[in-house]
Amino acid sequence: MISKRLTAVAISAVLAVSPYGQVLAQERLATESLNLNLPSMGAVAGTELSPSEEQSIGDEMMRQIRADSSYLNDSETLEYLNRLGYQLVSVSDTHTYNFFFYPLIDKSLNAFAIPGGYIAVHTGLIVAAQSESELAGVIAHEVGHVTQRHIARMIDSQKGNAALSIGSLLLAILAARAGGGQAAAAVAMGGQAALISNQLSYSRSAEREADRVGLNSLVRAGFDPRGMETFFTRLQQNNRYYETAAPAYMSTHPLTVERISDMENRTRRLGKHSHQDSLDFALIQQRMRVLQELQHDDWLRVRRDMRNELAKANTTREKIALNYGLSVVSKKLSEGPDAKNYANAAVSLQGGKNAILLKNQSEMLFIYGNSSEKQRALRLARSLTDNNPTSEMAVKLYAGELYDLKRYNDVLRFMRSQQALSKNNPSYCAIAARCYRALNQMSAHHQAVGDMYLAQGDKRAAEYQYRLAQQANDGDYYVMSQVDAKLRQTRADILEEEKYKDR
């Protein structure tokens, strides 16, 4: 069980995700002592942190990350990163973690793992990768950190200071997310300089181990192992090209001459392996160019750059990706006709087989089209779900279009039959909640909201919603029986957790 104090430290680490959080975190670290007063977490002291304890810490941190504005809850990108990530996980020597790969809106070249198999990839890293093998190489490296249990081993190395090292680890993540320098100095000012120094010294050996494990995974998954080597070598040799971006990654992943040399030697021994980049890689790169920008003027700049690149494009692949990117940025600029035209052009050039392009075409036709185009968009969305039954992206698209047409009962029937989202998935619960509210079925609505909070690990919010569902009392016998049972169980779980904390 994670205490409130450990949760607070995790939240502090996650605050660095946002620019405002960076400033607040740095000021707090510079002015307060780092007497964290963290619990020893029982058996952690003197032994490795167990996978379940790692998972608990990671779950707590992810709840805060998902609530932060830099967390990019984008179906296309999440689906692509998890597909790419699991190509690597499937050939890794691990069966301990349920990995989750997610994007953060941040132009710096960075990626990092937190406890429990959660791996963040900055949008800047996706955009800067010169091949899919480079992106896969960085992700494989992070998977290596998780599979080799570097976090648990780091804590174990501190023995009696296990609780303090957990806090230091989370503060180190904060320092890295804040860009190193000031936040790292603030950590040292708190009196923990020796511990942080020792932790970073340990991380160098962990980096070499993650390189070795990651390279093997790259080859097994069919990627070019030179992707990892070329990315890290370019990062080391050409910092000026990336301006302030490179140090963000290098502050958490120390690059040494010996480490680069070791990587080059291993790559040569592995031999030549060619890999054809997927079209999805090129599409997601263009998508990230748009979504990592937050201002109108920046979208105008991206559109100008993409148009110039399209005019000079030599390959069909480049033209497809740039037309797609222009459609995405046109939507941001609320230029409907352009958004539709570029979407149609991308699909036409590609041949109408790519799910990301078809999803975008359906979306643009539905948002900006006339009534007949909306019906065509709906047919495209339904076809996409039929051809990609396990795609959350496709399911959310079709359910969203049905909802916008006010076909709420059709949405509920579809959600019960689809295969991509389980009934305890927060997105499933959220979709159901919206439909029940639109149908004025308030007990079912509050029950679905409660289920969503429960799926996210927030039992108190779930308990409140189940009470509202009980008070609304407008469901049939089956619904109200479910509400009563969930309310009793959630209250019992909360009481049990309180007793555990008291002990």
Side-chain angles (χ1 to χ4, degrees):
M1 188 61 60
I2 306 300
S3 76
K4 290 183 179 179
R5 284 174 291 183
L6 181 55
T7 301
V9 177
I11 294 170
S12 296
V14 172
L15 276 174
V17 169
S18 69
Y20 298 111
Q22 293 176 21
V23 174
L24 291 172
Q26 290 170 10
E27 289 179 351
R28 186 182 303 123
L29 286 172
T31 56
E32 294 181 0
S33 167
L34 291 184
N35 180 17
L36 300 173
N37 194 26
L38 292 169
S40 65
M41 293 183 68
V44 176
T47 61
E48 277 195 357
L49 189 69
S50 72
S52 64
E53 287 167 324
E54 281 190 74
Q55 190 69 56
S56 295
I57 295 171
D59 290 348
E60 196 70 34
M61 293 180 74
M62 276 307 299
R63 274 193 282 275
Q64 304 303 320
I65 289 174
R66 285 191 172 99
D68 192 278
S69 59
S70 70
Y71 176 76
L72 184 55
N73 188 21
D74 180 67
S75 295
E76 289 90 329
T77 312
L78 285 165
E79 200 155 295
Y80 170 74
L81 286 179
N82 280 278
R83 185 168 65 248
L84 178 65
Y86 269 94
Q87 281 182 255
L88 299 163
V89 171
S90 66
V91 295
S92 300
D93 297 325
T94 181
H95 305 285
T96 306
Y97 303 96
N98 293 317
F99 283 82
F100 180 69
F101 304 85
Y102 59 97
L104 292 178
I105 299 174
D106 194 315
K107 292 184 182 180
S108 66
L109 275 66
N110 209 349
F112 60 89
I114 63 174
Y118 294 105
I119 294 178
V121 183
H122 287 199
T123 55
L125 177 65
I126 298 171
V127 172
Q130 294 183 5
S131 71
E132 193 166 28
S133 290
E134 286 195 355
L135 177 59
V138 177
I139 293 175
H141 179 90
E142 297 305 323
V143 170
H145 279 307
V146 175
T147 62
Q148 299 309 109
R149 305 207 62 216
H150 288 155
I151 294 174
R153 287 161 56 185
M154 186 183 300
I155 292 171
D156 186 50
S157 71
Q158 301 298 327
K159 299 299 181 182
N161 291 323
L164 184 58
S165 66
I166 293 173
S168 298
L169 171 68
L170 299 181
L171 288 169
I173 293 173
L174 180 147
R177 289 288 297 122
Q182 296 180 28
V187 170
M189 286 175 61
Q192 303 301 328
L195 183 59
I196 295 296
S197 176
N198 184 44
Q199 181 175 299
L200 292 176
S201 177
Y202 174 78
S203 73
R204 291 185 177 92
S205 64
E207 290 301 300
R208 289 192 293 272
E209 188 172 33
D211 290 341
R212 174 180 57 80
V213 172
L215 280 169
N216 288 335
S217 297
L218 272 182
V219 173
R220 291 177 182 176
F223 293 98
D224 185 348
R226 290 174 299 176
M228 182 183 290
E229 175 193 330
T230 57
F231 178 82
F232 286 131
T233 301
R234 193 168 71 251
L235 197 61
Q236 182 193 49
Q237 296 176 346
N238 203 12
N239 288 354
R240 290 184 179 180
Y241 178 79
Y242 296 109
E243 297 176 340
T244 61
Y249 194 84
M250 295 174 71
S251 66
T252 51
H253 300 75
L255 283 168
T256 63
V257 173
E258 292 79 11
R259 182 181 160 205
I260 293 293
S261 178
D262 180 60
M263 203 182 307
E264 290 172 346
N265 290 333
R266 291 183 183 279
T267 301
R268 278 196 293 271
R269 288 199 298 270
L270 288 169
K272 291 189 67 175
H273 293 76
S274 60
H275 175 266
Q276 180 66 46
D277 290 350
S278 69
L279 177 59
D280 283 357
F281 168 67
L283 298 178
I284 293 299
Q285 276 196 311
Q286 299 301 327
R287 187 172 184 84
M288 293 303 93
R289 289 178 68 181
V290 178
L291 298 190
Q292 72 177 358
E293 304 294 351
L294 304 175
Q295 303 294 328
H296 187 270
D297 287 348
D298 291 321
W299 294 326
L300 289 174
R301 173 182 50 78
V302 170
R303 183 182 64 176
R304 182 181 65 249
D305 291 345
M306 285 183 176
R307 283 177 172 174
N308 291 337
E309 292 166 28
L310 182 59
K312 300 174 184 176
N314 294 317
T315 68
T316 301
R317 176 191 173 85
E318 289 177 294
K319 293 175 183 177
I320 292 169
L322 287 165
N323 271 287
Y324 171 73
L326 283 163
S327 178
V328 176
V329 76
S330 295
K331 180 189 175 188
K332 283 290 187 182
L333 293 167
S334 300
E335 296 180 353
D338 281 349
K340 284 196 302 178
N341 291 337
Y342 285 124
N344 292 334
V347 170
S348 179
L349 283 166
Q350 194 271 331
K353 298 178 181 178
N354 181 274
I356 293 176
L357 294 178
L358 290 171
K359 187 264 186 182
N360 184 62
Q361 183 183 42
S362 174
E363 187 176 25
M364 299 310 171
L365 286 172
F366 190 88
I367 295 172
Y368 300 113
N370 55 36
S371 58
S372 64
E373 287 176 318
K374 287 184 187 296
Q375 291 304 313
R376 182 188 169 205
L378 191 65
R379 290 193 298 271
L380 282 171
R382 183 59 205 237
S383 177
L384 197 61
T385 63
D386 292 341
N387 294 327
N388 302 273
T390 60
S391 169
E392 290 189 19
M393 175 187 75
V395 164
K396 290 177 181 178
L397 172 70
Y398 184 58
E401 291 183 2
L402 283 175
Y403 180 89
D404 288 342
L405 292 172
K406 300 184 179 181
R407 293 170 56 177
Y408 309 123
N409 284 312
D410 288 340
V411 176
L412 293 170
R413 280 191 289 270
F414 168 69
M415 292 305 296
R416 294 185 193 110
S417 65
Q418 55 79 37
Q419 303 173 40
L421 297 171
S422 66
K423 290 185 178 180
N424 61 357
N425 183 294
S427 294
Y428 181 103
C429 301
I431 291 169
R434 291 177 65 199
C435 291
Y436 286 127
R437 185 174 185 84
L439 292 167
N440 202 32
Q441 297 177 21
M442 298 311 295
S443 288
H445 163 72
H446 288 298
Q447 179 185 215
V449 176
D451 292 346
M452 180 188 72
Y453 281 124
L454 198 62
Q456 294 172 341
D458 192 338
K459 291 187 176 71
R460 292 191 177 279
E463 189 263 351
Y464 176 69
Q465 290 295 325
Y466 294 146
R467 279 196 286 114
L468 291 178
Q470 197 177 60
Q471 293 167 10
N473 197 29
D474 65 352
D476 58 23
Y477 175 80
Y478 177 72
V479 169
M480 299 314 299
S481 296
Q482 279 190 322
V483 168
D484 292 342
K486 290 176 181 179
L487 182 57
R488 282 195 302 272
Q489 184 61 55
T490 305
R491 283 174 171 169
D493 290 344
I494 292 171
L495 286 173
E496 186 62 28
E497 287 183 4
E498 291 298 326
K499 290 178 183 177
Y500 184 89
K501 289 176 183 178
D502 291 339
R503 291 199 298 269

